[in-house]
Amino acid sequence: MTNPTSICVVIAAKDASATIARAVTSALAEPEVAEVIVIDDGSADATGPSAQGANDGSGRLHIVRFEANRGPAAARNHAITLSSSPLIAVLDADDFFLPGRFRNLLALPDWDFAADNIVFVDERHAAMSNLDVAAFQPTSALIDLEHFIAGNISRRGKSRGETGFLKPVMRRDFLEANGLRYREDLRLGEDYDLYVRALAKGARYRVSHACGYGAVVRQNSLSGQHRTEDLKRLYEADRAILQAGDLAPEAARLIRRHERHIRGRYELRHFLDLKNGQGPGAALRYALFRPAALPAIAGGILADKTERFRRPTSPAPPRPGSVPALRYLLPATPVPAQK
């Protein structure tokens, strides 16, 4: 009989030989983890052997290779199909779990999706034994569709909540009952899209301020790269959600706002692609024949031109051996240190 609290950790990995062992090791260290499924998504490096090198001999690690790259959504869907655990957790190949993560999440009440705080750390310090992650009060709350969407819309001069970056544990029975899987045509925002569709179907999405997920910030991370076409597919995904209906008026309003936000980013990127590839004339013709795109294009160009007048604020370089300042996804008050 399957343990109702056993977890399958899904890792989609593309050219991740430098980081995959750390990710696998952190997953296998969690006693609640029954399966770790690594999908080597057409890597050109030693991602598969590097993952195998972290095997602890428990029989929980499974590695599957795609000969051609299919994207993280397809890789995760395949892993979910292969798995048998009642709970699914996604781990990016760059990242790692903090000890005790799943013990804390499984103690939360009343959820279909359960996520926790994320600490962002640069690659140089990710392996430091003295990485001082703050202890936060383990308060939690359910997040609704409206607040989730609002947390994924950027506003100039203000930081956004970045709720789409959350990495929840998901109940398989909710995914199955509602026919939910990642959209495989998305290579940007595939997490956001899945969570929006789940919330629209009534998912109880609980978020804890306790920190259990380490996200490594790397300049060459694949998750930080996207094509212009990826933006187009993301705003089209918003349109598909709107067309499916069954949304409260405020939720529909916010999804339309998110769609306009992403579509504006696409229009600016497409304009610049045309300018760089075919010259200013082609870009100008594109803009003139699409009046609705002009505000996004003009606003983006103006923001770029005025960037030079903004005073940069560069932090002082860290001292050798010092512990870096850490950034957390969710604002919260740390637990006072015991004296």
Side-chain angles (χ1 to χ4, degrees), residues 181-259:
R181 288 294 187 270
Y182 291 95
R183 276 189 56 152
E184 297 190 5
D185 61 330
L186 293 180
R187 293 191 178 227
L188 172 70
E190 67 278 357
D191 297 299
Y192 159 85
D193 172 76
L194 178 66
Y195 306 155
V196 167
R197 288 186 286 120
L199 285 162
K201 291 182 179 293
R204 299 163 299 168
Y205 194 148
R206 184 168 293 277
V207 179
S208 169
H209 282 91
C211 189
Y213 190 101
V216 180
V217 181
R218 303 173 66 217
Q219 290 188 347
N220 64 341
S221 171
L222 290 177
S223 62
Q225 305 171 17
H226 58 263
R227 305 165 301 169
T228 303
E229 181 67 18
D230 296 332
L231 289 165
K232 184 171 189 254
R233 290 177 179 173
L234 182 54
Y235 79 71
E236 289 175 342
D238 273 336
R239 290 180 175 178
I241 293 171
L242 288 166
Q243 289 171 0
D246 298 326
L247 293 170
E250 179 62 11
R253 184 188 70 81
L254 285 167
I255 293 176
R256 284 193 292 269
R257 183 178 162 197
H258 184 267
E259 187 270 344

Side-chain angles (χ1 to χ4, degrees), residues 123-193:
E123 176 62 36
R124 293 174 302 161
H125 300 100
M128 290 178 63
S129 60
N130 61 336
L131 192 64
D132 190 16
V133 177
F136 293 107
Q137 294 286 357
T139 56
S140 69
L142 292 172
I143 185 172
D144 61 22
L145 178 57
E146 290 81 0
H147 284 89
F148 180 82
I149 300 167
N152 283 277
I153 300 174
S154 299
R155 288 183 291 174
R156 190 165 297 169
K158 295 185 179 180
S159 60
R160 62 189 175 107
E162 303 174 307
T163 49
F165 287 125
L166 291 169
K167 299 292 185 183
V169 177
M170 302 175 282
R171 293 195 187 278
R172 177 187 294 276
D173 58 3
F174 186 88
L175 297 178
E176 300 293 352
N178 292 281
L180 290 170
R181 288 294 187 270
Y182 291 95
R183 276 189 56 152
E184 297 190 5
D185 61 330
L186 293 180
R187 293 191 178 227
L188 172 70
E190 67 278 357
D191 297 299
Y192 159 85
D193 172 76

